[in-house]
Every structure is written in C-alpha cells, then in structure tokens.
Amino acid sequence: MKIAIIGTGYVGLVTGVCLAEIGHEVTCIDTNLEKVDQLKKGISPIYEPGLEELMEKNCAAGRLDFTNNSIIGLKDQEVIYIAVGTPQSEDGAADLTYVFNAARNIGENITRNVVVVTKSTVPIGTNAKVRQLVMSNLQDNVCAEVVSNPEFLREGSAIHDSFNGDRIVIGTDNKEAGDIVEEINKPFGLPILRTSLHSAEMIKYASNAFLATKISFINEIANLSEKTNAHIEEVAKGIGMDSRIGNKFLNAGIGYGGSCFPKDTQALVKISEDCNHDFHLLKSVITINENQKTLLVRKAKERFGTLTGMKVALLGLAFKPETDDMREAASISVAHELVEEGAEVIGYDPIAADNAKKVLPEEVLYADQIEEAIKQADVVFILTEWKEIVEKTLILSTLFMNEPIIFDGRNCYTNEDLYNLEVEYISVGRENLSKIRENRVAAVI
C-alpha cells in the first residue's frame, strides 16, 4: 500500500522503515528540512541498532522516501500514520498539539479517501477528535476514518520488536478501516487484536503502567530485602517462576526512565483525575521510582558520611543500554544530587555523551573512554548496563583505583564474579560484598 508517516521521531521512523521492509511504499514527512536531508542520506537522528541498515536498504529499493513537503507527502496516499510526539505538559497530561496539527494538515492536503492511523500515544477519546479535525479541514469531497494502532517498541530493540512482538492492536469503530490496517500488518506475522477505539487507547497506557508497577514493586522488595538479609535476585527468581507473575521486569535497580514509562504513567494519572478517579497505586509507583533514581547517592553518603571533594565516575548516562535517549535517565537526578553534595562528577557513556551534555549539570566532566573515567575516580557508580561497562568495570577498577569501590545500580555482577577481587561492591537488594567477606572470614576463624 501507499503509506505516509507524519513524524520521523523514534516511533515514526522505526514504523516507516519496518513497513517499507515488509513491502509497502512509504513516505515519511517531517517539517525539519535538515533532518529530512540527513534521512535521505541514510543517517538516522536516533541511535537504534539495525535501523540505518534497513533505511539504506529500503531507500535503495524505492520503497522508502522522506520529504518536508506535506502536499507532496500526503498526495494520493491510501493510509496516513500520525507518529508525532506527545510530550508531557506541566500538569502531567499529554500535550496533543502536534497530533492535532497533523490532523489538520491531513484534512487540508488529502486528495482521496484515506485511513488515518494513530501511532502516537494519546489519551482516551483523542482519536475521535482527530477524525473531527481531519473532516472539518477537508478541501475536497473525500472522507477519512481513524484507527488506533499503538506501538509497543522497546528502545534499543525496536527493529526486533517490530518483527517479533507479542501482538498488534488495531482499535476502530469502522470495520473496513480496521480491515485495511490489519492487511497492512499481516506480513509481520504477529497476533492481531481488534478492539474499539477507546480500548486500544487504554491498552497502551495500561500496558506501560503495569510494567512500571512491576519495576517499582520489585525495587521496593529489594529495599526491604536489604533490611531483612534476603537476596533480591533469589526473591525475584522465586516469584518470577510463578506463571501468573512472570520473570520479566523483575530486575531490581535504580528505576525506569525513557520516553514512555514516566510520561505515560503521569498521563494516566491525569486521565484518572479528569474522570474523578484517584489512582492511588500508580501515584505510588511514580513516587517510588523517583526516590529509587538517587538510591546510590544515599548509599554513598551512608558509606562515606560526606561526598564533598570526592571524584565520582558515572558509568552509563542513557536511561538504558543500546540507546542515546537521555529522557528521564537516572543519571540526571544522580548528577544533580552529586553536584549539590560537592562531588566532582566524571561521566562516561559509549553513545549518549553528546545528548547527556544537554541535560546534565554544566559542572559534569566527560571522559571519552571508560578507562579515563575510572582512573580519575574515588568511587564508581554504574547507572546503565552497557555491555562494555559490565565487561570492563571490575578489572579496570582493580587496576586503576587505590581502593576500588563500586556502587552498582543495575546489579551487574554476582558474588562469584567478585569473590576473589579486592573490590568493595554495593548493589541493590543484596548484602554488600565487603560484609559477605567479613562473614566468611569470621566463619573460617
């Protein structure tokens, strides 16, 4: 089919590239001419493994193109996807400015009957407003139907998820429009769930809210485990073996970040408030996560008394590995608190350093290599479990630090990994390695 994608951010670009990969003729539209020129050259504005290779492949095959001209981009298209940003407003609600602008743009420029597919994450009831805006701005005697098709992509593995996801949700109150979108997605070979418009909108928010809840829950259990001499990874394994619970999103650490969970949980709380419903559980999830982000700073203050004058290496700045996304990354809260405590902060990330410089305190210094960061440090914080960081931190800390001390916010190592190393290791939901050593020595004596 001939498909247009409005927006070449994370969701729009991945969606466009993957639809082209399964055989559709895709035109991606963005108002930023410089960005469009880069995309035409096969250069992605985001870091996502495998994305540029698929861009180049499908551009060369003539199935993928980019333009900043809506008249050209929307002309004669059969299906138009809205994949623009819905940033968080000051009151926590999703800002729908870009979505509604896209809807008006569609109405003004379409020349045939179309199906409008909303990929952007939007509050319940938004798709009906999108259709109203499209129809009220029509210039020709044509019609538009609207389908909600939320995305469930994980940054860092979005290409894989597009072809190996759990389900494709298609929500619409118009059967024919839903049939068209189902036909578009059949080549992915994934289970397809048909729902109403409102249900599809709710599914997206409910999914992210539930996953965020699992993360905050296991982090609270981890904090309790430290006080009761339980081992969080054993606890997580035990409860994860229950098929009713499952083992995913039960990794204790310093909380969630990124573009989805923080924004969508806040938005769902605001939706609840607008419906006169007090979502106590989700409010607690958000509070727990905010507190968890700076857990390592509290642990370090407890260990040292003061952090004034200490050099702290922050290893990993992006909110998760395999992305350069700094939105709601734990490193932001950690860096601000460390600077306020009088510490000198040296940041390192294999991909996200340039983006980090835009949001971290100006006092933060940056290392080009992980070795450089650790050489300068009195203490190391692991904030993002990049493969390089996990593989190198232990050995480099023992080589370059006089008294190696690691605060691990992602529980990268087992006790066996550390048993024969002269490293003080403090993680989340587990005994400190130094304490374990003391217990073993006492047992031998």
Side-chain angles (χ1 to χ4, degrees), residues 13 35 37-45 52 55-56:
L13 185 55
K35 186 179 183 181
D37 287 341
Q38 292 292 95
L39 289 166
K40 283 180 172 290
K41 297 174 183 176
I43 301 172
S44 171
E52 287 191 346
M55 284 173 58
E56 293 174 3

Side-chain angles (χ1 to χ4, degrees), residues 16-17 125 155 193 198 227 257 301 337 343 376:
V17 170
E155 291 190 45
L193 173 65
H198 286 186
K227 299 176 180 178
K301 287 173 66 176
E337 286 222 1
Q376 299 179 59

